[in-house]
Amino acid sequence: MGDSRECAQCGKRFRPLREHARFCSAACRMTWNEDHGGTATAPAAAIDWSVTAMAEAVERFGQAGTWDLPRAAAAAGETVWWITLVDATLVRYHPRDYENTMAGLSPAARRGTEEALGGLRYVRNRIGRSTDPAELIQAGADGGWAWTPQAEPGLDGVPAGTREWELNRYRAYTEHLAGRDAAAVFRRCARFLEQAAGAVPVLERPAPGRRR
């Protein structure tokens, strides 16, 4: 059962189609959200500031063309962290708004966005395992910084389900990030996440100055 997980609502084992999937069906997801409204919407108070921080990180990295490698790599690592944080938060707590926004993209744009986000999860995990971000970017052909091609990770001894996710992230990185302009990838992902965050109902957001 290494490639399955337990549904957070009904307890049934299921094979997830998305990395962060928590429910075996849309019905279970909707039931859980209705029963746990306060929990499900708790992070909404942080959505606006986290999206703002993500956008600022993306903008800063867009100015990194003249920076040296250590400074650019540090900025890339920070930007990856913000994008994957916002992505995981929306998938976990506002899956309907996230999925509806994704469904509104053209098939090509949807696949490109999903794969780009998968590639950034690969980067996040590499950095989380003490890989220096400087190993993941290099000077681009037209200025700026590009993602560096990476060797396929060794996954001996890794459970089947985990190995599948790791390989999917690696393939996404290889096909949609490696050799491509890092700033452009960041902008694409941030643009989608800003749209998805904007789709979260206004009533779930706190009034200005109000804290939860």
Side-chain angles (χ1 to χ4, degrees):
M1 300 293 284
D3 58 350
S4 68
R5 65 185 60 164
E6 186 175 289
C7 176
Q9 173 60 27
C10 71
K12 176 183 176 181
R13 302 293 302 189
F14 73 102
R15 181 183 176 86
L17 298 179
R18 291 181 181 274
E19 181 178 359
H20 301 291
R22 301 174 62 213
F23 306 101
C24 65
S25 66
C28 276
R29 183 185 68 235
M30 292 172 66
T31 299
W32 192 93
N33 283 340
E34 290 171 359
D35 293 344
H36 300 78
T39 302
T41 60
I47 286 179
D48 286 340
W49 68 258
S50 59
V51 169
T52 297
M54 174 189 71
E56 290 175 348
V58 170
E59 183 177 0
R60 277 195 300 274
F61 188 81
Q63 303 168 359
T66 59
W67 297 354
D68 60 22
L69 178 58
R71 183 182 178 191
E78 178 189 14
T79 307
V80 168
W81 188 86
W82 278 113
I83 288 177
T84 55
L85 172 69
V86 173
D87 181 56
T89 299
L90 290 172
V91 168
R92 182 178 179 86
Y93 294 100
H94 301 282
R96 187 183 309 175
D97 303 309
Y98 185 96
E99 292 171 6
N100 287 343
T101 304
M102 189 69 80
L105 302 178
S106 69
R110 175 172 184 156
R111 182 172 186 275
T113 300
E114 288 180 327
E115 293 296 309
L117 287 166
L120 291 183
R121 293 184 197 113
Y122 168 82
V123 175
R124 174 203 63 201
N125 290 350
R126 286 289 304 274
I127 294 174
R129 297 186 184 112
S130 301
T131 296
D132 187 337
E135 297 177 27
L136 299 169
I137 62 171
Q138 61 187 7
D142 300 319
W145 299 94
W147 299 105
T148 306
Q150 300 290 309
E152 183 172 317
L155 299 173
D156 292 341
V158 177
T162 302
R163 183 165 61 248
E164 182 177 351
W165 288 121
E166 290 290 335
L167 287 175
N168 285 341
R169 296 187 198 104
Y170 169 74
R171 293 187 189 109
Y173 178 90
T174 299
E175 296 175 13
H176 293 269
L177 268 69
R180 303 195 182 195
D181 182 70
V185 172
F186 287 148
R187 287 194 297 269
R188 177 177 199 162
C189 293
R191 188 163 53 245
F192 163 73
L193 293 172
E194 287 169 353
Q195 285 183 285
V200 174
V202 174
L203 291 177
E204 294 187 10
R205 299 179 183 277
R210 175 184 168 191
R211 295 185 178 180
R212 289 185 178 180

